[in-house]
Coordinates of all heavy atoms in Angstrom, one line a residue:
M209 N 0.8 -1.2 0.0 CA 0.0 0.0 0.0 C 0.9 1.2 0.0 O 1.9 1.3 0.7 CB -0.9 0.0 1.2 CG -1.8 1.2 1.3 SD -2.9 1.0 2.8 CE -4.3 1.8 2.1
T210 N 0.5 2.2 -0.8 CA 1.3 3.4 -0.9 C 1.2 4.2 0.4 O 0.1 4.4 1.0 CB 0.7 4.3 -2.0 OG1 0.9 3.6 -3.2 CG2 1.5 5.6 -2.1
S211 N 2.4 4.8 0.9 CA 2.4 5.7 2.0 C 2.7 7.1 1.4 O 3.5 7.2 0.4 CB 3.5 5.3 2.9 OG 3.2 4.2 3.6
Y212 N 2.1 8.1 1.9 CA 2.3 9.5 1.5 C 3.3 10.1 2.5 O 3.0 10.1 3.7 CB 1.0 10.2 1.4 CG 0.0 9.6 0.5 CD1 -0.8 8.6 0.8 CD2 0.0 10.0 -0.9 CE1 -1.7 8.0 -0.1 CE2 -0.8 9.5 -1.8 CZ -1.7 8.4 -1.4 OH -2.5 7.8 -2.3
V213 N 4.4 10.6 2.0 CA 5.5 11.0 2.9 C 5.8 12.5 2.6 O 6.3 12.8 1.5 CB 6.7 10.1 2.8 CG1 7.8 10.6 3.7 CG2 6.4 8.7 3.1
R214 N 5.7 13.3 3.6 CA 6.0 14.7 3.4 C 7.5 14.9 3.6 O 8.1 14.4 4.5 CB 5.3 15.6 4.5 CG 5.6 17.1 4.3 CD 4.9 17.9 5.3 NE 5.2 19.3 5.0 CZ 4.7 20.3 5.7 NH1 3.8 20.1 6.6 NH2 5.1 21.5 5.5
V215 N 8.1 15.6 2.6 CA 9.5 15.9 2.6 C 9.7 17.4 2.2 O 8.8 18.0 1.6 CB 10.3 15.0 1.6 CG1 10.3 13.5 2.1 CG2 9.8 15.1 0.2
T216 N 10.8 17.9 2.6 CA 11.2 19.2 2.0 C 12.0 18.9 0.8 O 12.5 17.8 0.5 CB 12.1 19.9 3.0 OG1 13.3 19.2 3.3 CG2 11.4 20.2 4.4
P217 N 12.2 19.9 -0.1 CA 12.9 19.7 -1.3 C 14.3 19.1 -1.1 O 14.8 18.2 -1.8 CB 13.0 21.1 -2.0 CG 11.8 21.8 -1.5 CD 11.6 21.3 -0.1
D218 N 15.0 19.5 0.0 CA 16.4 19.0 0.2 C 16.3 17.6 0.8 O 17.4 16.9 0.8 CB 17.2 19.9 1.1 CG 16.5 20.2 2.5 OD1 15.3 20.4 2.5 OD2 17.3 20.2 3.5
Q219 N 15.2 17.1 1.3 CA 15.1 15.7 1.8 C 14.7 14.7 0.7 O 14.8 13.5 0.8 CB 14.0 15.6 2.9 CG 14.4 16.3 4.1 CD 13.2 16.3 5.1 OE1 12.0 16.5 4.7 NE2 13.5 16.1 6.4
L220 N 14.3 15.2 -0.5 CA 13.9 14.4 -1.6 C 15.1 13.7 -2.1 O 16.1 14.3 -2.5 CB 13.2 15.2 -2.7 CG 12.7 14.4 -3.9 CD1 11.5 13.5 -3.5 CD2 12.1 15.4 -4.9
P221 N 15.1 12.3 -2.1 CA 16.3 11.6 -2.6 C 16.6 11.9 -4.1 O 15.7 12.1 -4.9 CB 16.0 10.1 -2.4 CG 14.9 10.1 -1.3 CD 14.1 11.4 -1.6
A222 N 17.9 11.9 -4.4 CA 18.3 12.2 -5.8 C 17.7 11.1 -6.6 O 17.7 9.9 -6.3 CB 19.8 12.2 -5.9
G223 N 17.2 11.5 -7.8 CA 16.6 10.5 -8.7 C 15.2 10.3 -8.5 O 14.5 9.6 -9.2
Q224 N 14.6 10.9 -7.4 CA 13.2 10.7 -7.1 C 12.3 11.9 -7.5 O 12.8 13.0 -7.8 CB 13.0 10.5 -5.6 CG 13.7 9.3 -5.1 CD 13.0 8.0 -5.6 OE1 11.8 7.9 -5.5 NE2 13.8 7.1 -6.0
T225 N 11.0 11.7 -7.6 CA 10.1 12.7 -7.9 C 9.1 12.8 -6.8 O 8.7 11.8 -6.1 CB 9.3 12.2 -9.2 OG1 10.3 12.0 -10.2 CG2 8.3 13.2 -9.7
A226 N 8.6 14.0 -6.6 CA 7.6 14.3 -5.5 C 6.4 15.0 -6.1 O 6.5 15.8 -7.0 CB 8.2 15.1 -4.4
L227 N 5.2 14.7 -5.5 CA 4.1 15.5 -5.8 C 4.3 16.9 -5.1 O 4.7 17.0 -4.0 CB 2.8 14.9 -5.1 CG 1.5 15.6 -5.2 CD1 1.0 15.7 -6.7 CD2 0.4 15.0 -4.4
L228 N 4.1 17.9 -5.9 CA 4.3 19.3 -5.4 C 3.0 20.0 -5.2 O 2.2 20.1 -6.2 CB 5.2 20.1 -6.4 CG 5.5 21.5 -6.1 CD1 6.4 21.7 -4.8 CD2 6.1 22.2 -7.3
L229 N 2.7 20.4 -4.0 CA 1.4 21.1 -3.8 C 1.8 22.6 -3.5 O 2.7 22.9 -2.8 CB 0.7 20.5 -2.6 CG 0.3 19.1 -2.7 CD1 -0.5 18.7 -1.4 CD2 -0.5 18.9 -3.9
F230 N 1.0 23.5 -4.2 CA 1.2 24.9 -4.1 C -0.1 25.6 -4.2 O -1.1 25.0 -4.6 CB 2.2 25.4 -5.1 CG 1.8 25.2 -6.5 CD1 1.1 26.2 -7.3 CD2 1.9 23.9 -7.2 CE1 0.7 26.0 -8.6 CE2 1.5 23.7 -8.5 CZ 0.9 24.8 -9.2
V231 N -0.1 26.9 -3.8 CA -1.4 27.7 -3.9 C -1.2 28.7 -5.0 O -0.2 29.4 -5.1 CB -1.6 28.4 -2.5 CG1 -2.8 29.3 -2.7 CG2 -1.9 27.4 -1.4
H232 N -2.2 28.7 -5.9 CA -2.2 29.6 -7.0 C -3.6 30.2 -7.1 O -4.6 29.6 -7.1 CB -2.0 28.8 -8.3 CG -2.1 29.6 -9.6 ND1 -1.1 30.5 -10.0 CD2 -3.1 29.8 -10.5 CE1 -1.4 31.1 -11.1 NE2 -2.6 30.7 -11.4
D233 N -3.6 31.6 -7.0 CA -4.9 32.3 -7.0 C -5.8 31.8 -5.9 O -7.0 31.7 -6.1 CB -5.6 32.2 -8.4 CG -4.9 33.1 -9.5 OD1 -4.2 34.0 -9.1 OD2 -5.2 32.8 -10.6
G234 N -5.2 31.5 -4.8 CA -6.0 31.1 -3.6 C -6.5 29.7 -3.6 O -7.2 29.3 -2.7
E235 N -6.1 28.9 -4.6 CA -6.5 27.5 -4.8 C -5.4 26.6 -4.6 O -4.3 26.8 -5.1 CB -7.2 27.3 -6.1 CG -8.4 28.2 -6.4 CD -9.7 27.7 -5.7 OE1 -9.7 26.5 -5.2 OE2 -10.6 28.4 -5.7
L236 N -5.6 25.4 -4.0 CA -4.6 24.4 -3.9 C -4.4 23.7 -5.3 O -5.4 23.2 -5.9 CB -5.0 23.3 -2.9 CG -4.0 22.2 -2.6 CD1 -2.7 22.8 -2.0 CD2 -4.6 21.2 -1.6
C237 N -3.2 23.6 -5.8 CA -2.9 23.1 -7.1 C -1.7 22.1 -6.9 O -1.1 22.1 -5.9 CB -2.5 24.2 -8.1 SG -3.9 25.3 -8.4
A238 N -1.4 21.3 -8.0 CA -0.4 20.3 -7.9 C 0.5 20.4 -9.1 O 0.1 20.7 -10.2 CB -1.0 19.0 -7.8
G239 N 1.7 20.0 -8.9 CA 2.7 19.8 -10.0 C 3.7 18.7 -9.5 O 3.3 17.8 -8.7
V240 N 4.9 18.7 -10.0 CA 5.9 17.7 -9.7 C 7.2 18.4 -9.4 O 7.5 19.4 -10.1 CB 6.0 16.8 -11.0 CG1 7.2 15.8 -10.8 CG2 4.7 16.0 -11.2
L241 N 7.9 17.8 -8.5 CA 9.3 18.3 -8.2 C 10.2 17.1 -8.5 O 10.0 16.0 -7.9 CB 9.4 18.8 -6.8 CG 10.7 19.3 -6.4 CD1 11.0 20.7 -7.1 CD2 10.8 19.6 -4.9
K242 N 11.1 17.3 -9.4 CA 12.1 16.2 -9.7 C 13.5 16.6 -9.2 O 13.9 17.7 -9.3 CB 12.2 16.0 -11.2 CG 10.9 15.4 -11.8 CD 11.2 15.2 -13.3 CE 9.9 14.5 -13.9 NZ 10.1 14.1 -15.3
H243 N 14.1 15.6 -8.5 CA 15.4 15.8 -8.0 C 16.4 15.0 -8.8 O 16.3 13.7 -8.8 CB 15.5 15.3 -6.5 CG 16.8 15.7 -5.8 ND1 17.0 15.5 -4.5 CD2 17.9 16.3 -6.3 CE1 18.1 16.0 -4.1 NE2 18.7 16.5 -5.2
G244 N 17.1 15.7 -9.7 CA 18.0 15.0 -10.6 C 19.2 14.3 -9.9 O 19.6 14.7 -8.8
L245 N 19.8 13.4 -10.5 CA 21.0 12.7 -10.0 C 22.1 13.6 -9.8 O 23.0 13.4 -9.0 CB 21.3 11.5 -10.9 CG 20.3 10.4 -10.9 CD1 20.7 9.3 -11.9 CD2 20.1 9.7 -9.5
D246 N 22.1 14.7 -10.5 CA 23.2 15.7 -10.4 C 22.9 16.7 -9.3 O 23.7 17.7 -9.1 CB 23.4 16.5 -11.8 CG 22.1 17.3 -12.2 OD1 21.1 17.2 -11.5 OD2 22.2 17.9 -13.2
G247 N 21.8 16.5 -8.6 CA 21.5 17.4 -7.4 C 20.5 18.5 -7.8 O 20.1 19.3 -7.0
S248 N 20.2 18.7 -9.1 CA 19.3 19.8 -9.5 C 17.8 19.4 -9.1 O 17.5 18.3 -9.0 CB 19.3 19.9 -11.0 OG 18.9 18.7 -11.7
L249 N 17.1 20.5 -8.9 CA 15.7 20.4 -8.6 C 14.9 21.0 -9.7 O 15.1 22.2 -10.1 CB 15.3 21.1 -7.3 CG 15.8 20.4 -6.0 CD1 15.6 21.2 -4.8 CD2 15.1 19.0 -5.8
E250 N 13.9 20.3 -10.3 CA 13.1 20.8 -11.4 C 11.7 20.9 -11.0 O 11.1 19.8 -10.6 CB 13.3 19.9 -12.6 CG 12.6 20.4 -13.8 CD 12.8 19.5 -15.0 OE1 13.4 18.4 -14.9 OE2 12.4 19.9 -16.1
R251 N 11.1 22.1 -11.0 CA 9.7 22.3 -10.6 C 8.9 22.3 -11.8 O 9.0 23.2 -12.7 CB 9.6 23.6 -9.8 CG 8.3 24.0 -9.3 CD 8.4 25.3 -8.5 NE 7.1 25.7 -7.9 CZ 6.1 26.3 -8.5 NH1 6.2 26.7 -9.7 NH2 5.0 26.6 -7.8
L252 N 8.0 21.4 -12.0 CA 7.1 21.2 -13.2 C 5.7 21.5 -12.8 O 5.1 20.7 -12.0 CB 7.3 19.8 -13.8 CG 8.7 19.4 -14.1 CD1 8.7 17.9 -14.4 CD2 9.2 20.2 -15.3
V253 N 5.1 22.6 -13.2 CA 3.8 22.9 -12.9 C 3.0 23.3 -14.2 O 3.7 23.7 -15.2 CB 3.7 24.1 -11.9 CG1 4.3 23.7 -10.6 CG2 4.3 25.4 -12.5
P254 N 1.7 23.1 -14.3 CA 1.0 23.4 -15.5 C 1.1 24.9 -15.8 O 1.2 25.8 -14.9 CB -0.5 23.0 -15.1 CG -0.4 22.1 -14.0 CD 0.9 22.5 -13.2
D255 N 0.9 25.3 -17.1 CA 0.9 26.7 -17.4 C -0.3 27.4 -16.8 O -0.1 28.6 -16.4 CB 0.8 26.8 -19.0 CG 2.1 26.4 -19.7 OD1 3.2 26.5 -19.1 OD2 2.0 26.0 -20.8
N256 N -1.4 26.8 -16.7 CA -2.6 27.3 -16.0 C -3.0 26.4 -14.9 O -3.9 25.6 -15.1 CB -3.7 27.5 -17.1 CG -3.4 28.4 -18.2 OD1 -3.0 29.6 -17.9 ND2 -3.5 28.0 -19.4
P257 N -2.4 26.6 -13.7 CA -2.7 25.7 -12.6 C -4.1 25.7 -12.2 O -4.8 26.8 -12.3 CB -1.8 26.2 -11.5 CG -0.7 27.0 -12.1 CD -1.4 27.6 -13.4
S258 N -4.7 24.6 -11.8 CA -6.1 24.4 -11.5 C -6.2 23.4 -10.3 O -5.4 22.4 -10.3 CB -6.8 23.9 -12.7 OG -8.1 23.5 -12.3
P259 N -7.1 23.6 -9.4 CA -7.3 22.6 -8.4 C -7.6 21.2 -8.9 O -7.3 20.2 -8.3 CB -8.6 23.1 -7.6 CG -8.6 24.6 -7.9 CD -8.0 24.7 -9.3
S260 N -8.1 21.1 -10.1 CA -8.4 19.7 -10.7 C -7.1 19.0 -11.0 O -7.1 17.8 -11.2 CB -9.2 19.9 -12.0 OG -8.5 20.6 -13.0
D261 N -6.0 19.7 -11.0 CA -4.7 19.0 -11.3 C -4.3 18.2 -10.1 O -3.4 17.3 -10.3 CB -3.6 20.1 -11.5 CG -3.8 21.0 -12.7 OD1 -4.5 20.5 -13.6 OD2 -3.3 22.1 -12.7
L262 N -4.8 18.4 -8.9 CA -4.4 17.7 -7.7 C -4.6 16.2 -7.8 O -3.7 15.4 -7.7 CB -5.1 18.3 -6.5 CG -4.7 17.7 -5.2 CD1 -3.3 17.8 -4.9 CD2 -5.6 18.4 -4.1
I263 N -5.9 15.8 -8.1 CA -6.2 14.4 -8.1 C -5.5 13.7 -9.4 O -5.0 12.6 -9.3 CB -7.7 14.2 -8.2 CG1 -8.4 14.7 -6.9 CG2 -8.1 12.7 -8.4 CD1 -7.9 14.1 -5.6
L264 N -5.6 14.4 -10.5 CA -4.9 13.9 -11.7 C -3.4 13.7 -11.5 O -2.8 12.7 -11.9 CB -5.1 14.9 -12.9 CG -6.6 15.0 -13.4 CD1 -6.7 16.0 -14.5 CD2 -7.0 13.6 -13.9
G265 N -2.8 14.7 -10.8 CA -1.4 14.6 -10.5 C -1.0 13.4 -9.6 O -0.1 12.6 -9.9
I266 N -1.8 13.1 -8.6 CA -1.6 12.0 -7.7 C -1.8 10.7 -8.5 O -1.0 9.8 -8.5 CB -2.6 12.0 -6.5 CG1 -2.2 13.2 -5.6 CG2 -2.5 10.7 -5.8 CD1 -3.2 13.4 -4.5
C267 N -2.8 10.6 -9.3 CA -3.1 9.4 -10.1 C -2.0 9.1 -11.1 O -1.5 8.0 -11.3 CB -4.4 9.5 -10.9 SG -5.8 9.5 -9.8
R268 N -1.5 10.2 -11.8 CA -0.4 10.0 -12.7 C 0.9 9.5 -12.1 O 1.6 8.6 -12.6 CB -0.1 11.3 -13.5 CG -1.0 11.6 -14.5 CD -0.6 12.9 -15.3 NE -1.7 13.4 -16.1 CZ -2.2 14.6 -15.9 NH1 -1.7 15.4 -15.0 NH2 -3.2 15.0 -16.6
M269 N 1.2 10.0 -10.9 CA 2.4 9.6 -10.2 C 2.2 8.2 -9.7 O 3.2 7.4 -9.8 CB 2.7 10.5 -9.0 CG 3.2 11.9 -9.4 SD 3.8 12.9 -8.1 CE 5.3 12.0 -7.7
M270 N 1.1 7.8 -9.2 CA 0.9 6.5 -8.7 C 0.9 5.4 -9.8 O 1.3 4.3 -9.6 CB -0.4 6.4 -7.9 CG -0.3 7.1 -6.6 SD -1.8 7.0 -5.6 CE -1.7 5.3 -5.1
A271 N 0.5 5.8 -11.0 CA 0.5 4.9 -12.1 C 1.9 4.4 -12.5 O 2.1 3.3 -13.0 CB -0.2 5.5 -13.3
D272 N 2.9 5.2 -12.2 CA 4.3 4.9 -12.5 C 5.1 4.3 -11.3 O 6.3 4.2 -11.4 CB 5.0 6.2 -13.0 CG 4.4 6.7 -14.3 OD1 3.9 5.9 -15.1 OD2 4.5 7.9 -14.6
M273 N 4.4 4.0 -10.2 CA 5.1 3.6 -9.0 C 4.7 2.1 -8.7 O 3.5 1.7 -9.0 CB 4.6 4.4 -7.8 CG 5.0 5.9 -7.9 SD 4.3 6.9 -6.6 CE 4.5 5.8 -5.1
P274 N 5.6 1.4 -8.0 CA 5.2 0.1 -7.5 C 4.1 0.3 -6.4 O 4.1 1.4 -5.7 CB 6.5 -0.4 -6.8 CG 7.6 0.4 -7.4 CD 7.0 1.7 -7.8
A275 N 3.3 -0.7 -6.2 CA 2.1 -0.5 -5.3 C 2.5 -0.2 -3.8 O 1.8 0.4 -3.1 CB 1.3 -1.8 -5.3
D276 N 3.7 -0.7 -3.4 CA 4.1 -0.5 -2.0 C 5.1 0.7 -1.8 O 5.7 0.8 -0.8 CB 4.7 -1.8 -1.4 CG 5.9 -2.3 -2.2 OD1 6.2 -1.7 -3.3 OD2 6.6 -3.2 -1.7
A277 N 5.3 1.5 -2.8 CA 6.3 2.6 -2.8 C 5.7 3.8 -2.0 O 4.5 4.0 -1.9 CB 6.7 3.0 -4.2
D278 N 6.6 4.6 -1.5 CA 6.3 5.9 -0.9 C 6.0 6.9 -2.0 O 6.8 7.0 -2.9 CB 7.4 6.4 0.1 CG 7.5 5.5 1.3 OD1 6.5 4.8 1.7 OD2 8.6 5.5 1.9
L279 N 5.0 7.7 -1.8 CA 4.8 8.8 -2.7 C 5.2 10.1 -1.9 O 4.6 10.4 -0.8 CB 3.3 9.0 -3.1 CG 3.0 10.0 -4.2 CD1 1.8 9.5 -5.0 CD2 2.8 11.4 -3.7
F280 N 6.3 10.7 -2.3 CA 6.8 11.9 -1.7 C 5.9 13.1 -2.0 O 5.5 13.2 -3.1 CB 8.3 12.1 -2.1 CG 9.2 11.0 -1.6 CD1 9.8 10.2 -2.6 CD2 9.5 10.8 -0.3 CE1 10.7 9.2 -2.2 CE2 10.3 9.8 0.1 CZ 10.9 9.0 -0.8
V281 N 5.7 13.9 -1.0 CA 4.9 15.1 -1.1 C 5.7 16.3 -0.6 O 6.2 16.3 0.5 CB 3.6 15.0 -0.3 CG1 2.8 16.3 -0.5 CG2 2.8 13.8 -0.8
V282 N 5.8 17.4 -1.4 CA 6.4 18.6 -1.0 C 5.3 19.7 -0.9 O 4.6 19.9 -1.9 CB 7.5 19.1 -2.0 CG1 8.0 20.5 -1.7 CG2 8.7 18.1 -2.0
L283 N 5.2 20.4 0.2 CA 4.2 21.4 0.4 C 4.9 22.8 0.3 O 5.8 23.0 1.2 CB 3.5 21.3 1.7 CG 2.7 20.0 2.0 CD1 2.1 20.0 3.4 CD2 1.7 19.8 0.9
E284 N 4.6 23.6 -0.6 CA 5.2 24.9 -0.7 C 4.4 25.8 0.3 O 3.4 25.4 0.8 CB 5.0 25.5 -2.1 CG 6.0 24.8 -3.1 CD 6.1 25.6 -4.4 OE1 5.3 26.4 -4.8 OE2 7.1 25.3 -5.1
P285 N 4.9 27.0 0.6 CA 4.3 27.9 1.6 C 2.8 28.1 1.2 O 2.4 28.2 0.0 CB 5.1 29.2 1.4 CG 6.4 28.8 1.0 CD 6.2 27.6 0.1
L286 N 1.9 28.0 2.2 CA 0.5 28.2 2.1 C -0.2 26.9 1.6 O -1.4 26.8 1.7 CB 0.0 29.4 1.3 CG 0.6 30.7 1.7 CD1 0.1 31.8 0.7 CD2 0.2 31.1 3.1
A287 N 0.5 25.9 1.1 CA -0.1 24.7 0.6 C -0.4 23.8 1.8 O 0.2 24.0 2.9 CB 0.8 24.0 -0.4
Y288 N -1.3 22.9 1.6 CA -1.7 22.0 2.7 C -2.1 20.6 2.1 O -2.3 20.5 0.9 CB -2.9 22.6 3.5 CG -4.1 22.9 2.6 CD1 -5.1 21.9 2.5 CD2 -4.2 24.1 1.9 CE1 -6.2 22.2 1.7 CE2 -5.3 24.3 1.1 CZ -6.3 23.4 1.0 OH -7.3 23.6 0.1
W289 N -2.2 19.7 3.0 CA -2.6 18.3 2.6 C -4.1 18.2 3.0 O -4.5 18.4 4.2 CB -1.8 17.3 3.4 CG -2.1 15.9 3.0 CD1 -2.6 14.9 3.8 CD2 -1.7 15.2 1.8 NE1 -2.7 13.7 3.1 CE2 -2.1 13.9 1.9 CE3 -1.1 15.7 0.6 CZ2 -1.9 13.0 0.8 CZ3 -0.9 14.8 -0.4 CH2 -1.3 13.4 -0.3
P290 N -5.0 18.0 2.1 CA -6.5 18.0 2.4 C -6.8 17.0 3.5 O -6.3 15.8 3.4 CB -7.1 17.7 1.1 CG -6.1 18.2 0.1 CD -4.8 17.9 0.6
E291 N -7.7 17.3 4.4 CA -8.0 16.5 5.5 C -8.6 15.1 5.1 O -8.3 14.1 5.7 CB -9.0 17.2 6.4 CG -9.3 16.5 7.7 CD -10.2 17.3 8.6 OE1 -9.9 18.5 8.9 OE2 -11.1 16.7 9.1
P292 N -9.5 15.1 4.0 CA -10.0 13.8 3.6 C -9.0 12.8 3.0 O -9.3 11.6 2.8 CB -11.1 14.1 2.6 CG -11.1 15.5 2.4 CD -10.1 16.2 3.3
F293 N -7.8 13.3 2.6 CA -6.8 12.5 2.0 C -6.2 11.5 3.1 O -6.3 11.7 4.3 CB -5.7 13.3 1.4 CG -6.0 14.0 0.1 CD1 -7.3 14.2 -0.3 CD2 -5.0 14.4 -0.7 CE1 -7.6 14.8 -1.5 CE2 -5.3 15.0 -1.9 CZ -6.6 15.2 -2.3
P294 N -5.5 10.4 2.6 CA -4.9 9.5 3.5 C -3.8 10.2 4.4 O -3.4 11.3 4.0 CB -4.2 8.5 2.6 CG -4.9 8.6 1.3 CD -5.4 10.0 1.2
L295 N -3.5 9.6 5.5 CA -2.5 10.2 6.4 C -1.2 10.6 5.7 O -0.7 9.8 5.0 CB -2.3 9.2 7.6 CG -1.4 9.7 8.7 CD1 -2.0 10.9 9.4 CD2 -1.1 8.6 9.7
L296 N -0.7 11.8 6.0 CA 0.5 12.2 5.4 C 1.6 12.0 6.5 O 1.5 12.7 7.6 CB 0.4 13.7 5.0 CG 1.7 14.3 4.4 CD1 2.0 13.6 3.1 CD2 1.4 15.8 4.1
H297 N 2.6 11.2 6.3 CA 3.6 10.9 7.2 C 4.8 11.9 7.0 O 4.9 12.5 5.9 CB 4.2 9.5 7.0 CG 3.1 8.4 7.2 ND1 2.7 7.9 8.4 CD2 2.3 7.8 6.3 CE1 1.7 7.1 8.3 NE2 1.5 7.0 7.0
R298 N 5.7 11.9 8.0 CA 6.9 12.7 7.8 C 8.1 11.8 7.6 O 8.1 10.7 8.2 CB 7.1 13.6 9.0 CG 6.1 14.8 9.1 CD 6.6 15.8 10.1 NE 5.7 16.9 10.2 CZ 5.8 18.0 9.5 NH1 6.9 18.2 8.8 NH2 5.0 19.0 9.6
L299 N 9.1 12.2 6.9 CA 10.3 11.4 6.7 C 11.1 11.3 8.0 O 11.1 12.2 8.8 CB 11.1 12.1 5.6 CG 12.3 11.3 5.1 CD1 11.9 9.9 4.5 CD2 13.1 12.0 4.1

């Protein structure tokens, strides 16, 4: 079963990807944060962020993961983990 693990960008292991939650126009939106093997961090967000990206983003990430893998989550300032979502653990 997937565990959702909150990390800061510097805690994200090299070569890993995290769900990135951020606030845009007062709405919770999602993107991806990739930590390259060279140490670089790449923030990938839609051109027109929307709250509907949140569920789609989680589903896309989970589709590419083993069933028992941790899904890393990075919360930018003002972002939050919605209460109805599964428990968010800390690294």
